[in-house]
């Protein structure tokens, strides 16, 4: 009777013992657990700064003492941020730029991976893959110098080309209308190699017998791509899409601040995002730290919400490919 209950899922099963494999896996995961505990979860204590009027207390006490003994501000820091004149502009720039980044980067990465996987010369494919992956390792500070060398008004390479064709030089760092295209181009160029490697690894793992059967049935390369390759990489594509949705309210600080040369006033309304606003607010003397913390906390809440919404939508459409 007891055996029947265990087979049918009734009653308590045999107690599992801690094995040597469990110990090895725990030790392997311990550095990662410590890293997240120290650098991800422990700093979350600072969230209360967004609800405080942080002031230094007399007596030369430390940060935690000053924080705990500062007056509560409630949601006044948030209301100040939401009612500021820059909030709508920052929200629009941050969200629209990230939507463009997600759509264009995913399209380029998938298209590049498909082209590289279909190349007959595998040696050349490896060379192209390495060349496309190299910009991912470059710092935005280095890229900013290249951009300045190309776009500087006086001796920039691009203005030199325009002059050779009899076109007046363009003051690139004063013309805001060009920068959405420049930022999207740079973000795509820098990140396409990383995305291509992910999709190319997924394509490499596809069972080759499926392609062989398709060739025997007379399927063309396009038909193989549509009916075999794309459905096979769909789980990776959806996973990357969900993770990217969690970054819609964040921006790459190096791209928007370093490349633009510190966001000059002529470009402020075009390239400013939440991250650059918080950085500039911290550098501004007299700005209460609670207000900048409230803006950062707002970003975190929105990012968590968007990734959960994206996962919920995916779960409703295709439950097998949802993350949670």
């Amino acid at each position: 009777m007891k055996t029947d209950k265990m087979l049918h899922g009734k009653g308590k099963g045999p107690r599992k013992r801690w094995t040597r494999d469990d110990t090895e896996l725990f030790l392997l995961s311990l550095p990662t657990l410590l890293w997240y505990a120290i650098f991800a979860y422990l700093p979350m204590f600072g969230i209360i700064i967004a609800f405080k009027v942080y002031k230094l207390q007399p007596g030369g006490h430390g940060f935690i003492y000053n924080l705990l003994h500062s007056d509560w501000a409630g949601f006044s820091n948030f209301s100040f941020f939401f009612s500021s004149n820059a909030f709508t502009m920052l929200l629009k720039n941050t969200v629209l730029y990230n939507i463009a980044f997600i759509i264009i980067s995913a399209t380029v990465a998938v298209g590049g991976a498909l082209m590289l996987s279909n190349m007959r010369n595998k040696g050349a494919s490896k060379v192209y893959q390495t060349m496309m992956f190299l910009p991912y390792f470059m710092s935005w500070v280095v890229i900013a110098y290249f951009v300045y060398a190309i776009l500087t008004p006086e001796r920039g390479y691009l203005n030199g080309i325009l002059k050779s064709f009899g076109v007046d030089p363009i003051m690139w760092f004063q013309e805001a209308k060009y920068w959405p295209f420049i930022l999207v181009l740079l973000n795509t160029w820098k990140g396409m190699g990383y995305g291509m490697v992910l999709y190319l690894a997924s394509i490499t793992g596809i069972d080759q017998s499926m392609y062989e059967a398709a060739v025997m049935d007379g399927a063309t390369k396009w038909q193989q791509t549509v009916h075999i390759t794309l459905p096979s990489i769909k789980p990776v594509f959806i996973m990357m899409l969900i993770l990217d949705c969690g970054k819609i309210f964040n921006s790459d600080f190096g791209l928007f601040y370093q490349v633009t040369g510190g966001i000059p006033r002529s470009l402020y309304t075009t390239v400013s995002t939440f991250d650059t606003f918080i950085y500039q607010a911290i550098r501004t003397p007299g700005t209460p730290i609670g207000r900048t913390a409230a803006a950062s906390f707002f970003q975190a809440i929105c990012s968590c919400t968007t990734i959960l919404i994206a996962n919920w939508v995916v779960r409703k459409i295709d439950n097998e490919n949802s993350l949670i």
Side-chain angles (χ1 to χ4, degrees):
M1 182 66 68
K2 185 177 180 180
T3 304
D4 293 338
K5 289 183 178 180
M6 291 174 61
L7 291 174
H8 291 285
K10 298 179 180 180
K12 294 183 178 180
R15 183 178 180 182
K16 294 183 178 179
R17 297 181 178 178
W18 185 272
T19 64
R20 181 177 179 180
D21 293 338
D22 295 328
T23 303
E24 293 177 354
L25 292 174
F26 173 74
L27 292 176
L28 287 173
S29 62
L30 186 59
T32 303
L33 293 175
L34 292 176
W35 188 93
Y36 274 100
I38 297 173
F39 297 103
Y41 290 100
L42 188 60
M44 290 180 68
F45 170 78
I47 289 175
I48 63 175
I49 301 177
F51 303 93
K52 289 269 193 173
V53 181
Y54 182 79
K55 293 182 179 179
L56 297 177
Q57 304 298 321
H61 298 286
F63 169 77
I64 296 179
Y65 180 90
N66 294 326
L67 177 62
L68 295 177
H69 288 79
S70 297
D71 297 331
W72 286 97
F75 291 94
S76 61
N77 290 328
F78 292 91
S79 60
F80 178 85
F81 175 60
F82 295 148
S83 60
S84 64
N85 297 329
F87 176 75
T88 303
M89 178 266 295
L90 296 172
L91 179 64
K92 180 188 69 174
N93 286 351
T94 305
V95 173
L96 292 182
Y97 272 120
N98 279 299
I99 291 176
F101 291 164
I102 292 172
I103 295 174
I104 297 175
S105 297
T107 303
V108 172
V110 172
L114 292 175
M115 288 189 291
L116 290 178
S117 64
N118 287 313
M119 289 187 63
R120 296 182 178 180
N121 190 335
K122 297 303 178 183
S125 176
K126 295 294 183 181
V127 173
Y128 297 147
Q129 179 181 337
T130 304
M131 293 175 60
M132 294 178 182
F133 196 46
L134 181 62
Y136 178 76
F137 296 101
M138 296 179 63
S139 169
W140 281 117
V141 177
V142 177
I143 295 175
Y145 281 104
F146 285 110
V147 173
Y148 182 78
I150 295 173
L151 300 182
T152 183
E154 297 82 9
R155 300 180 180 180
Y157 292 109
L158 195 53
N159 277 340
I161 296 174
L162 294 177
K163 289 180 182 179
S164 64
F165 285 97
V167 181
D168 294 333
I170 299 175
M171 307 297 288
W172 296 100
F173 289 92
Q174 297 181 12
E175 296 287 343
K177 60 182 179 181
Y178 299 109
W179 281 92
F181 304 99
I182 295 174
L183 295 177
V184 170
L185 177 63
L186 289 175
N187 181 80
T188 305
W189 169 74
K190 190 175 188 296
M192 67 178 179
Y194 177 78
M196 285 173 53
V197 168
L198 293 177
Y199 292 115
L200 192 60
S202 182
I203 293 173
T204 306
I206 300 175
D207 188 359
Q208 295 299 313
S209 61
M210 299 173 64
Y211 291 103
E212 295 173 359
V215 171
M216 294 180 63
D217 291 336
T220 62
K221 280 289 185 182
W222 174 251
Q223 291 173 330
Q224 295 175 38
T225 300
V226 172
H227 298 287
I228 299 177
T229 307
L230 292 180
S232 298
I233 66 175
K234 185 177 71 171
V236 178
F237 178 82
I238 293 177
M239 180 189 69
M240 296 298 297
L241 179 62
I242 294 175
L243 295 177
D244 287 338
C245 287
K247 298 183 290 185
I248 286 181
F249 287 88
N250 294 275
S251 60
D252 194 328
F253 178 81
L255 172 63
F256 288 92
Y257 191 85
Q258 297 290 348
V259 173
T260 59
I263 306 185
R265 183 168 298 182
S266 57
L267 306 179
Y268 178 76
T269 58
T270 305
V271 301
S272 293
T273 61
F274 285 131
D275 294 272
T276 61
F277 172 80
I278 294 171
Y279 175 75
Q280 290 178 327
I282 293 174
R283 294 185 60 191
T284 303
T287 302
I289 189 174
R291 295 176 182 176
T292 56
S296 182
F297 187 46
F298 168 76
Q299 279 186 286
I301 294 297
C302 291
S303 298
C304 182
T305 303
T306 51
I307 197 171
L308 290 176
I309 292 175
N311 184 79
W312 177 81
V313 172
V314 171
R315 189 169 65 245
K316 291 294 183 181
I317 299 174
D318 188 359
N319 187 37
E320 294 182 357
N321 291 319
S322 61
L323 293 182
I324 54 177

